[in-house]
Amino acid sequence: MHKLNDIQAIAFDLDGTLVDSVPGLALAAQKMLSDLTLPTISNEQIKNFVGNGIDIMLERVFNAIGTTPSGELFSKAKNLFNQHYNKVMDAETKLFPHVKATLKTLHDSQYPLALVTNKPAQFLPALLTSLGIKEYFSLVLGGGDVIKLKPHPAPLYQVMATFGLFSDQLLFVGDSKNDITAAQNANCPTVALSYGYNYGVSIATSNPDFLLDDFKEILTLLPQPKADAKK
């Protein structure tokens, strides 16, 4: 497997890539539905609803239980969900294997690291601190920090502008078609992780440049320390 010698920075998705967030999202959604005396949903259903931000996830939840919410009900549901998620997020969100050690190695090897997620930005500082990985990221972009969410390439353009990079110098690592499509639209090389959340479909169908089963395999693709830029 050849080295990506032109890569000067790496951006990562969060849910399904760095962390298993389904238990916390499912618990918050289940508590929300209970508060509203509505039918519940399973963790497996939530796994297939993750990836497009909280609003879309909740729309999928309501669709799954056969309910069309009014604007008032949706707003109430979202507020309840956010309240519950704030309480359970830290305890119910876990890093996938080898994530922390790999991020540390990349950070120590002088790669600037960015986080690009559709998760609302309000949740990110406390969560990243709780997980012990906040210090590794030079840039964190969540929902509300960008003009368009993935799969739009806007978040990756923002990373490139912040770091002063060409598209072929930024590697994007994700687990869903939203991630791979966003990177492809921005002309960035892609790594997809097979263990994440992709609506029940193999991420191989999105044609990433590299498909990995273990997060630490990223280290086999990149020189350490970071190679000098060629541009």
Side-chain angles (χ1 to χ4, degrees), residues 107-140:
H107 181 266
D108 291 347
S109 296
Q110 306 303 309
Y111 287 98
L113 306 181
L115 186 70
V116 178
T117 174
N118 289 347
K119 185 185 288 292
Q122 71 197 66
F123 295 123
L124 299 177
L127 178 60
L128 296 179
T129 299
S130 172
L131 294 167
I133 59 174
K134 186 174 186 290
E135 66 187 286
Y136 301 133
F137 293 102
S138 304
L139 177 65
V140 175

Side-chain angles (χ1 to χ4, degrees), residues 26-62:
L27 183 57
Q30 290 155 1
K31 287 177 175 289
M32 172 201 79
L33 292 169
S34 177
D35 289 345
L36 298 171
T37 63
L38 291 170
T40 195
I41 54 167
S42 68
N43 286 33
E44 191 62 28
Q45 286 174 293
I46 285 290
K47 183 176 180 179
N48 292 326
F49 297 163
V50 175
N52 297 91
I54 295 299
D55 284 10
I56 300 298
M57 188 191 77
L58 293 181
E59 288 177 12
R60 291 168 176 158
V61 167
F62 278 113

Side-chain angles (χ1 to χ4, degrees), residues 17 25 28 60 63 85 96 99 101 107 115 119 126-127 138 165 167 170 181 186 191 197 202 230:
T17 299
L25 292 168
R60 291 168 176 158
N63 184 61
Y85 192 51
F96 283 115
V99 165
H107 181 266
L115 186 70
K119 185 185 288 292
L127 178 60
S138 304
L165 300 176
S167 60
L170 177 67
T181 300
V191 166
Y197 317 144
S202 170
K230 296 180 180 180

